[in-house]
Each structure stands twice: as C-alpha cells, then as structure tokens.
Tab-separated table of all heavy atoms in Angstrom:
chain	number	residue	atom	x	y	z
A	62	ASP	N	-18.183	12.891	-26.639
A	62	ASP	CA	-18.955	13.839	-27.403
A	62	ASP	C	-18.861	15.337	-26.771
A	62	ASP	O	-19.719	15.898	-26.228
A	62	ASP	CB	-20.437	13.515	-27.530
A	62	ASP	CG	-21.097	14.357	-28.667
A	62	ASP	OD1	-20.409	14.964	-29.373
A	62	ASP	OD2	-22.302	14.282	-28.630
A	63	ARG	N	-17.574	15.815	-26.677
A	63	ARG	CA	-17.291	17.037	-26.175
A	63	ARG	C	-17.962	18.231	-26.938
A	63	ARG	O	-18.584	19.150	-26.289
A	63	ARG	CB	-15.848	17.346	-26.111
A	63	ARG	CG	-14.964	16.385	-25.233
A	63	ARG	CD	-13.527	16.600	-25.263
A	63	ARG	NE	-12.925	16.413	-26.529
A	63	ARG	CZ	-11.619	16.367	-26.811
A	63	ARG	NH1	-10.757	16.251	-25.789
A	63	ARG	NH2	-11.116	16.148	-28.055
A	64	ILE	N	-17.929	18.103	-28.300
A	64	ILE	CA	-18.660	19.224	-29.052
A	64	ILE	C	-20.148	19.132	-28.800
A	64	ILE	O	-20.858	20.140	-28.869
A	64	ILE	CB	-18.282	19.021	-30.505
A	64	ILE	CG1	-18.707	20.180	-31.351
A	64	ILE	CG2	-18.884	17.709	-31.111
A	64	ILE	CD1	-17.978	21.508	-31.094
A	65	GLY	N	-20.707	17.983	-28.613
A	65	GLY	CA	-22.144	17.834	-28.361
A	65	GLY	C	-22.504	18.486	-26.998
A	65	GLY	O	-23.547	19.110	-26.901
A	66	ALA	N	-21.593	18.349	-26.047
A	66	ALA	CA	-21.895	18.880	-24.675
A	66	ALA	C	-21.857	20.474	-24.780
A	66	ALA	O	-22.583	21.156	-24.327
A	66	ALA	CB	-20.870	18.427	-23.717
A	67	ALA	N	-20.807	20.965	-25.558
A	67	ALA	CA	-20.757	22.360	-25.683
A	67	ALA	C	-21.976	22.932	-26.533
A	67	ALA	O	-22.504	24.036	-26.216
A	67	ALA	CB	-19.461	22.719	-26.394
A	68	GLY	N	-22.376	22.195	-27.478
A	68	GLY	CA	-23.458	22.643	-28.411
A	68	GLY	C	-24.776	22.631	-27.652
A	68	GLY	O	-25.624	23.452	-27.870
A	69	ALA	N	-24.915	21.711	-26.819
A	69	ALA	CA	-26.207	21.608	-25.979
A	69	ALA	C	-26.271	22.943	-24.989
A	69	ALA	O	-27.349	23.552	-24.849
A	69	ALA	CB	-26.261	20.287	-25.096
A	70	LEU	N	-25.154	23.206	-24.348
A	70	LEU	CA	-25.169	24.393	-23.587
A	70	LEU	C	-25.400	25.664	-24.367
A	70	LEU	O	-26.098	26.545	-24.057
A	70	LEU	CB	-23.848	24.463	-22.882
A	70	LEU	CG	-23.588	25.676	-21.851
A	70	LEU	CD1	-24.644	25.623	-20.812
A	70	LEU	CD2	-22.189	25.629	-21.365
A	71	ALA	N	-24.772	25.753	-25.484
A	71	ALA	CA	-24.916	26.940	-26.409
A	71	ALA	C	-26.387	27.096	-26.848
A	71	ALA	O	-26.913	28.235	-26.875
A	71	ALA	CB	-24.013	26.819	-27.685
A	72	ARG	N	-27.097	25.988	-27.209
A	72	ARG	CA	-28.386	26.045	-27.666
A	72	ARG	C	-29.399	26.533	-26.563
A	72	ARG	O	-30.303	27.389	-26.706
A	72	ARG	CB	-28.933	24.620	-28.058
A	72	ARG	CG	-28.576	24.370	-29.535
A	72	ARG	CD	-29.347	23.055	-30.040
A	72	ARG	NE	-29.038	21.880	-29.290
A	72	ARG	CZ	-27.934	21.106	-29.499
A	72	ARG	NH1	-27.179	21.390	-30.355
A	72	ARG	NH2	-27.826	20.082	-28.687
A	73	GLU	N	-29.036	26.060	-25.321
A	73	GLU	CA	-29.875	26.563	-24.193
A	73	GLU	C	-29.695	28.071	-23.974
A	73	GLU	O	-30.610	28.755	-23.480
A	73	GLU	CB	-29.510	25.779	-22.839
A	73	GLU	CG	-29.964	24.442	-22.822
A	73	GLU	CD	-31.393	24.221	-22.925
A	73	GLU	OE1	-32.068	24.994	-22.089
A	73	GLU	OE2	-31.947	23.440	-23.529
A	74	LEU	N	-28.554	28.623	-24.221
A	74	LEU	CA	-28.260	30.120	-24.166
A	74	LEU	C	-28.633	30.812	-25.443
A	74	LEU	O	-28.531	32.109	-25.459
A	74	LEU	CB	-26.794	30.284	-23.799
A	74	LEU	CG	-26.297	29.715	-22.538
A	74	LEU	CD1	-24.750	29.845	-22.473
A	74	LEU	CD2	-26.897	30.389	-21.358
A	75	GLY	N	-29.250	30.199	-26.441
A	75	GLY	CA	-29.602	30.852	-27.671
A	75	GLY	C	-28.457	31.204	-28.643
A	75	GLY	O	-28.629	31.992	-29.463
A	76	TYR	N	-27.380	30.397	-28.470
A	76	TYR	CA	-26.265	30.643	-29.410
A	76	TYR	C	-26.064	29.427	-30.329
A	76	TYR	O	-26.555	28.413	-30.241
A	76	TYR	CB	-24.895	30.758	-28.604
A	76	TYR	CG	-24.713	32.064	-27.839
A	76	TYR	CD1	-25.048	32.132	-26.466
A	76	TYR	CD2	-24.250	33.142	-28.444
A	76	TYR	CE1	-24.854	33.346	-25.761
A	76	TYR	CE2	-23.937	34.338	-27.731
A	76	TYR	CZ	-24.320	34.474	-26.374
A	76	TYR	OH	-24.118	35.578	-25.654
A	77	GLY	N	-25.228	29.796	-31.451
A	77	GLY	CA	-24.729	28.749	-32.285
A	77	GLY	C	-23.364	28.367	-31.851
A	77	GLY	O	-22.838	28.921	-30.837
A	78	LEU	N	-22.650	27.564	-32.586
A	78	LEU	CA	-21.259	27.242	-32.249
A	78	LEU	C	-20.324	27.542	-33.532
A	78	LEU	O	-20.667	27.401	-34.690
A	78	LEU	CB	-21.163	25.784	-32.011
A	78	LEU	CG	-21.561	25.093	-30.779
A	78	LEU	CD1	-21.146	23.626	-30.636
A	78	LEU	CD2	-20.873	25.890	-29.538
A	79	LEU	N	-19.117	27.984	-33.160
A	79	LEU	CA	-18.028	28.106	-34.189
A	79	LEU	C	-16.836	27.423	-33.662
A	79	LEU	O	-16.205	27.853	-32.634
A	79	LEU	CB	-17.647	29.639	-34.437
A	79	LEU	CG	-16.599	29.843	-35.498
A	79	LEU	CD1	-17.092	29.449	-36.849
A	79	LEU	CD2	-16.141	31.266	-35.502
A	80	GLU	N	-16.577	26.209	-34.194
A	80	GLU	CA	-15.432	25.391	-33.764
A	80	GLU	C	-14.128	25.799	-34.394
A	80	GLU	O	-13.986	26.018	-35.716
A	80	GLU	CB	-15.667	23.912	-34.032
A	80	GLU	CG	-14.515	23.044	-33.329
A	80	GLU	CD	-14.834	21.574	-33.565
A	80	GLU	OE1	-15.713	21.220	-34.367
A	80	GLU	OE2	-14.023	20.689	-32.985
A	81	ILE	N	-13.067	26.090	-33.538
A	81	ILE	CA	-11.883	26.537	-34.046
A	81	ILE	C	-10.842	25.459	-33.690
A	81	ILE	O	-10.566	25.134	-32.491
A	81	ILE	CB	-11.405	27.833	-33.318
A	81	ILE	CG1	-12.407	28.968	-33.595
A	81	ILE	CG2	-10.071	28.392	-33.861
A	81	ILE	CD1	-12.685	29.891	-32.532
A	82	ASP	N	-10.278	24.792	-34.690
A	82	ASP	CA	-9.345	23.746	-34.552
A	82	ASP	C	-7.995	24.318	-34.281
A	82	ASP	O	-7.316	24.893	-35.088
A	82	ASP	CB	-9.304	22.782	-35.843
A	82	ASP	CG	-8.376	21.566	-35.597
A	82	ASP	OD1	-7.977	21.395	-34.470
A	82	ASP	OD2	-8.305	20.863	-36.601
A	83	CYS	N	-7.473	24.150	-32.963
A	83	CYS	CA	-6.157	24.656	-32.536
A	83	CYS	C	-5.180	23.536	-32.519
A	83	CYS	O	-4.259	23.645	-31.795
A	83	CYS	CB	-6.401	25.238	-31.195
A	83	CYS	SG	-7.522	26.657	-31.134
A	84	THR	N	-5.328	22.536	-33.343
A	84	THR	CA	-4.283	21.478	-33.402
A	84	THR	C	-3.833	21.365	-34.867
A	84	THR	O	-4.479	20.818	-35.833
A	84	THR	CB	-4.863	20.044	-33.050
A	84	THR	OG1	-5.506	20.195	-31.774
A	84	THR	CG2	-3.797	19.012	-32.957
A	85	PRO	N	-2.596	21.726	-35.245
A	85	PRO	CA	-1.506	22.277	-34.401
A	85	PRO	C	-1.962	23.791	-33.992
A	85	PRO	O	-2.751	24.309	-34.570
A	85	PRO	CB	-0.252	22.312	-35.123
A	85	PRO	CG	-0.740	22.326	-36.585
A	85	PRO	CD	-2.039	21.615	-36.654
C-alpha cells in the first residue's frame, strides 16, 4: 500500500494527493 503510506503522510501535513501515473 504505497499510495496509502503517502496519503497518510499527506493528511498529517494537511495536504491532499494527486497521483500521476508515469508508466509508461
């Protein structure tokens, strides 16, 4: 759950998330 780990950190900092798929 990499996106979950990033999301938990962002919430603690008061941010939302914008996921950018770089594949390809």
Side-chain angles (χ1 to χ4, degrees):
D62 197 9
R63 298 178 298 195
I64 191 71
L70 180 60
R72 277 194 301 273
E73 288 296 316
L74 297 171
Y76 286 98
L78 280 188
L79 179 69
E80 186 179 6
I81 302 145
D82 186 3
C83 299
T84 308

